[in-house]
Amino acid sequence: MEVSHLKDFNGTEDYLAFYNGPRRSPLFLPITSVYAIIFLVGVSGNILVCLVILRHRNMKTPTNYYLFSLAVSDLLVLLFGMPLEVYEMWSNYPFLFGAVGCYFKTALFETVCCASILSVTTVSIERYIAIVHPFRAKLESTRRRALRILVVLWVFSVLFSVPNTSTHGILLLYFPNGTLVPGSATCTVVKPMWVYNFIIQAMSFLFYVLPMGVISILYYLMGLKVSSRPYCMTGYCKAHSTY
């Protein structure tokens, strides 16, 4: 320990706490309890969704394939992302998984987030086609087409995870004399903040503002289409034909 470099601190731990914050989150226990419930419910529920779709032939529809993709993305977060989050709340530093682990964690969250948003948007587009252009939907909405779309969707999600992942890395602290502070490694943003902010703003537009706008417009058009149909087309006349 370099006492001369820690004259304003009681030791290395105080030095680390000053620059990196507390080693363990004060909300560790309550948040971990909530995470445990989410983990158990989420894992069991999403596994059941996947099993039902995989084991029952009549459930293998294009729409259910998109739901399967959503379930897989949720499972990836629950099985790989959530344990890392809990670990970092228990021990914020040092980050023990190195640069590869840091890249993996960031890329995982970015990829599954993008894949989930694209899956929901694709489901909305499929519903729009089914309601507004039903004959076209019967011709085009096939399982093979859904699988191709999902492959493209996940490839795009991986590619779009690269920019934000590239801004992260392992950050180390050094004493004023240039010696490394032991146990200071953290997985955080290492590129200039203006680069990170620009990427976050661009991703927010591409994967939040734009999809929300598309989904809102599609559901508005679907609402207009349904409301403009005669009652007989919705079964109303048939149900009231005896009056």
Side-chain angles (χ1 to χ4, degrees):
M1 181 184 301
E2 300 285 344
V3 178
S4 60
H5 302 138
L6 302 174
K7 60 181 180 180
D8 295 327
F9 305 96
N10 293 326
T12 305
E13 284 297 322
D14 285 352
Y15 192 90
L16 287 169
F18 179 79
Y19 286 101
N20 289 345
R23 186 181 296 271
R24 183 173 301 173
S25 171
L27 300 176
F28 172 72
L29 288 178
I31 293 180
T32 301
S33 301
V34 174
Y35 274 15
I37 297 173
I38 295 174
F39 181 86
L40 293 174
V41 175
V43 169
S44 58
N46 284 291
I47 287 178
L48 287 175
V49 169
C50 293
L51 289 177
V52 168
I53 294 174
L54 290 174
R55 298 184 64 179
H56 295 81
R57 186 176 180 82
N58 62 331
M59 294 298 292
K60 294 180 180 180
T61 64
T63 300
N64 285 343
Y65 280 180
Y66 299 121
L67 296 179
F68 183 87
S69 175
L70 284 171
V72 169
S73 64
D74 288 344
L75 283 173
L76 289 174
V77 172
L78 291 168
L79 295 175
F80 298 101
M82 185 173 287
L84 282 174
E85 286 289 312
V86 173
Y87 167 76
E88 287 193 334
M89 285 191 299
W90 179 71
S91 181
N92 187 35
Y93 49 86
F95 187 79
L96 301 179
F97 304 102
V100 174
C102 182
Y103 294 144
F104 171 79
K105 184 191 77 166
T106 308
L108 173 66
F109 280 107
E110 289 292 310
T111 299
V112 297
C113 181
C114 294
S116 297
I117 294 170
L118 291 177
S119 296
V120 172
T121 305
T122 305
V123 169
S124 301
I125 295 173
E126 293 288 333
R127 288 177 177 174
Y128 168 80
I129 296 174
I131 292 175
V132 180
H133 305 286
F135 295 106
R136 180 182 173 186
K138 288 183 180 180
L139 294 175
E140 296 183 359
S141 184
T142 63
R143 289 182 294 181
R144 181 174 296 179
R145 175 173 174 269
L147 288 174
R148 288 199 301 264
I149 290 175
L150 285 174
V151 170
V152 173
L153 181 152
W154 278 93
V155 169
F156 268 101
S157 299
V158 173
L159 292 177
F160 277 103
S161 72
V162 173
N164 190 27
T165 303
S166 65
T167 64
H168 286 69
I170 299 299
L171 183 66
L172 301 171
L173 284 180
Y174 292 88
F175 290 119
N177 70 341
T179 58
L180 177 66
V181 179
S184 63
T186 55
C187 175
T188 186
V189 177
V190 294
K191 295 292 178 67
M193 287 306 298
W194 71 267
V195 175
Y196 174 76
N197 291 334
F198 175 79
I199 292 174
I200 292 299
Q201 291 171 11
M203 294 292 290
S204 298
F205 175 79
L206 290 174
F207 290 93
Y208 180 75
V209 177
L210 188 60
M212 281 295 294
V214 170
I215 293 172
S216 299
I217 292 172
L218 291 178
Y219 275 96
Y220 173 73
L221 294 176
M222 282 187 278
L224 290 179
K225 184 68 175 181
V226 171
S227 63
S228 65
R229 288 178 176 175
Y231 283 120
C232 289
M233 293 184 66
T234 61
Y236 182 85
C237 291
K238 183 177 181 181
H240 294 77
S241 59
T242 57
Y243 290 92

